[in-house]
Amino acid sequence: MKAYLLSVLLVGLALGGMGLGTFAWFTDQEIVEANAIQTGNADLSVKIAKDYFGVHESTLKVTNLVPSTNTWTTMGYIHLLNEGTVPLKWKGYFVKTGGETL
């Protein structure tokens, strides 16, 4: 019984020593003078034009759109512009929301 209590006491002292040894690492403080954190904003705007360098319109009008196997039909250009103060990476995709399925 004496050996059991002694081993429990030694394990407790070892764990306590490890806890106190790392206590200083968790309580360290440092003061840095003239430190500033700056934020920015990402401001996306959408502009629509009939051709690449054309005048921007408010809506994209799509007419006579039919399936084609060998050509592209350009209906207009959608320009996404970041008018904010921070750079922005983005990815877009199109989703069919109505009509008959193929």
Side-chain angles (χ1 to χ4, degrees):
M1 183 70 174
K2 216 182 214 190
Y4 178 73
L5 288 175
L6 184 62
S7 63
V8 169
L9 181 64
L10 286 174
V11 168
L13 285 173
L15 290 174
M18 289 185 334
L20 288 175
T22 59
F23 184 72
W25 182 70
F26 289 118
T27 59
D28 187 25
Q29 293 182 1
E30 197 65 39
I31 298 174
V32 178
E33 299 294 330
N35 194 11
I37 297 175
Q38 292 182 316
T39 62
N41 63 350
D43 183 15
L44 286 180
S45 67
V46 178
K47 302 193 188 288
I48 298 171
K50 287 187 179 186
D51 58 29
Y52 191 76
F53 297 107
V55 177
H56 292 124
E57 301 174 4
S58 60
T59 58
L60 179 64
K61 295 180 178 106
V62 179
T63 58
N64 298 326
L65 186 62
V66 294
S68 177
T69 58
N70 58 0
T71 61
W72 286 90
T73 303
T74 304
M75 300 310 290
Y77 292 89
I78 300 172
H79 298 266
L80 294 176
L81 304 171
N82 179 11
E83 296 175 348
T85 59
V86 295
L88 176 70
K89 287 185 179 181
W90 60 275
K91 182 185 349 180
Y93 60 94
F94 294 98
V95 176
K96 183 179 179 183
T97 59
E100 296 178 14
T101 59
L102 299 176

